Amino acid sequence: MANETYYNISLLTLAVVTGLVAGIFGGLMGYLLYYFNFTEISPEVILTPVAGSWKSNWIGIIIVSMIYGVISIIVALVYYALLRKKKSFVWGAVYGAALFIVIFFVLHPLYPNAKSILSYDINTILTGLTSFILYGVFIGYSISYEYEESLYVKK
């Protein structure tokens, strides 16, 4: 234990950082998936109420990624509050799938001009679902791992 260094960062702070990183990388991954035609849904869909051609430029990509980062902080804090003690990565996958259902079925009416997820092709649906599952596993496993690690350090 003489060569080991442990940082004294709270689990809540780690959950916030995990959420921010997951959201930014998730947004950027969404752009890659859209660019390579794996999905018909562009990440800039979150800016639907905002007009302007700037949304498709590099500044739009940065702003959209930052918006997803901020939203993802809230998502990570919810996971932290409800599921941080769960050890299996399966909980993160279930959490990601639940987020997919909430966003595309429950929150869909907030965007009246958006098409229903069921009207897209199977590639878009499966890409979206697997992206959310991967996102949930990243958040879930990161937070649960840090929680278990903090318990180990306290011993």
Side-chain angles (χ1 to χ4, degrees):
M1 189 118 150
N3 292 335
E4 295 181 24
T5 302
Y6 293 103
Y7 299 98
N8 193 14
I9 300 174
S10 73
L11 286 172
L12 193 59
T13 303
L14 287 171
V16 168
V17 170
T18 299
L20 181 65
V21 169
I24 291 171
F25 282 126
L28 294 174
M29 184 179 75
Y31 274 108
L32 281 174
L33 293 172
Y34 179 74
Y35 179 78
F36 288 113
N37 296 318
F38 286 103
T39 181
E40 297 175 42
I41 303 171
S42 171
E44 67 190 36
V45 71
I46 198 162
L47 294 178
T48 300
V50 180
S53 62
W54 60 270
K55 296 186 296 185
S56 299
N57 297 334
W58 65 271
I59 192 72
I61 293 171
I62 292 172
I63 290 172
V64 166
S65 296
M66 295 307 291
I67 290 170
Y68 283 128
V70 171
I71 292 170
S72 186
I73 290 172
I74 297 166
V75 171
L77 290 174
V78 170
Y79 189 93
Y80 173 81
L82 299 177
L83 298 169
R84 73 177 174 266
K85 296 179 181 179
K86 303 295 184 186
K87 292 183 181 182
S88 175
F89 74 91
V90 173
W91 288 99
V94 169
Y95 189 66
L99 286 172
F100 178 82
I101 291 168
V102 166
I103 289 171
F104 289 106
F105 291 103
V106 176
L107 296 179
H108 175 64
L110 294 177
Y111 289 94
N113 296 334
K115 292 177 11 181
S116 168
I117 190 68
L118 299 177
S119 65
Y120 289 103
D121 65 350
I122 192 71
N123 288 334
T124 296
I125 296 169
L126 291 178
T127 299
L129 180 60
T130 54
S131 296
F132 272 87
I133 289 172
L134 180 63
Y135 169 81
V137 168
F138 177 79
I139 287 179
Y141 194 78
S142 298
I143 292 173
S144 296
Y145 175 81
E146 290 299 334
Y147 175 76
E148 290 297 318
E149 191 70 16
S150 72
L151 293 178
Y152 175 76
V153 170
K154 287 179 184 177
K155 287 181 184 180

